[in-house]
Amino acid sequence: MFELHDKVALITGAAGGLGDKIARTLHKQGATLALTDMRAEPMEKLKAELGDRVEVFTANLTNPEDVKNLVSQVEEKLGRIDILVNNAGITKDGLIMKMKEEDFDSVLNVNLKGTFNTIRHSARQMLKQRSGKIINISSVSGILGNVGQANYAASKAGVIGLTKTMARELGSRGITVNAIAPGFVDTEMTEVLSEEIRENACKQIILGRFGKPEDIANTAVFLSLIHI
């Protein structure tokens, strides 16, 4: 407890199931939270439940100016950003011959461009501090690919490439950059899967079950505690 006392964590996609669990776990370890999403209501409920050390911000991560303003607001209200968790992500699945161009673009814009935008603006403050932790949520789909997810897999593969490059650019300034690449996790995003798809997916998983949000959240805490 209190391992992250006096640390400020900016968490994107905080209104979703995985973002919610990451926020709760970091808060339990003593972090002050800056939650951001397009949907304010779920974040306000989480803030009311957790009590102190939580602020809520709405922002469109695909809009660079919106992200710039978001980071400025967080710094103005909370003083700094020590941890950035890029969790925001969407899916718009479909076989490539049927995939609409706007569906490909929107997934790339949220999952990859949104991550680029938040890193770009948050890193300015971290560089001044000469410290920071950036944690990007990628996906095993970005490594292995997945039928019907050309857009999602491409975006998450891009997040991995972006993570590797940012680690090289920022590591010498005391900033660690890592990616977590979950497989299937029990969240709102996977609730829509049919029973057949879930069963086939479980056959490929050694433990024979989907991951839990807390598995990812605990990994995020671990990466937040790394010292260099």
Side-chain angles (χ1 to χ4, degrees):
M1 187 62 176
F2 302 120
E3 291 284 352
L4 297 175
H5 185 63
D6 292 334
K7 301 297 183 183
V8 175
L10 172 58
I11 304 168
T12 73
L18 185 53
D20 177 282
K21 180 59 69 173
I22 291 172
R24 290 175 187 274
T25 307
L26 287 171
H27 188 269
K28 186 177 180 180
Q29 296 299 319
T32 296
L33 306 182
L35 307 178
T36 188
D37 202 294
M38 295 284 284
R39 298 174 293 160
E41 186 178 351
M43 295 190 295
E44 292 291 354
K45 288 182 178 178
L46 179 58
K47 177 180 177 179
E49 183 179 340
L50 294 179
D52 61 347
R53 295 184 285 111
V54 182
E55 297 293 341
V56 169
F57 306 86
T58 56
N60 179 358
L61 302 184
T62 67
N63 185 325
E65 201 61 34
D66 227 24
V67 176
K68 181 180 179 181
N69 292 335
L70 164 67
V71 171
S72 295
Q73 290 169 17
V74 173
E75 291 173 354
E76 181 179 344
K77 202 152 196 176
L78 300 176
R80 56 192 289 135
I81 297 173
D82 300 288
I83 303 162
L84 169 63
V85 182
N86 280 308
N87 169 70
I90 62 171
T91 57
K92 291 190 176 182
D93 297 349
L95 297 175
I96 196 164
M97 299 307 295
K98 297 182 178 180
M99 184 174 289
K100 298 177 182 178
E101 188 171 343
E102 55 265 33
D103 288 346
F104 186 88
D105 290 344
S106 62
V107 171
L108 266 290
N109 282 336
V110 173
N111 298 2
L112 182 55
K113 184 66 178 294
T115 299
F116 165 80
N117 286 335
T118 54
I119 292 175
R120 184 184 186 191
H121 291 289
S122 298
R124 297 181 190 277
Q125 175 66 28
M126 292 181 178
L127 286 168
K128 293 177 183 177
Q129 299 165 183
R130 297 192 69 85
S131 67
K133 313 294 180 186
I134 298 174
I135 302 162
N136 301 323
I137 305 300
S138 181
S139 169
V140 72
S141 293
I143 301 171
L144 301 178
N146 197 28
V147 174
Q149 289 195 317
N151 48 7
Y152 184 76
S155 71
K156 293 302 186 177
V159 168
I160 292 172
L162 178 62
T163 300
K164 291 178 178 180
T165 301
M166 291 302 95
R168 291 180 180 275
E169 287 190 14
L170 302 174
S172 63
R173 303 293 189 90
I175 302 168
T176 61
V177 188
N178 290 280
I180 303 172
F184 286 97
V185 179
D186 279 320
T187 63
E188 295 171 350
M189 193 177 288
T190 58
E191 282 180 358
V192 299
L193 298 177
S194 68
E195 191 60 36
E196 180 182 0
I197 292 176
R198 292 180 69 91
E199 288 178 1
N200 288 335
C202 284
K203 290 176 182 177
Q204 303 175 53
I205 301 171
I206 294 173
L207 295 181
R209 65 167 178 81
F210 278 23
K212 302 295 183 184
E214 51 264 37
D215 299 332
I216 313 306
N218 289 335
T219 304
V221 169
F222 169 75
L223 293 173
S224 299
L225 293 169
I226 292 175
H227 294 288
I228 60 173

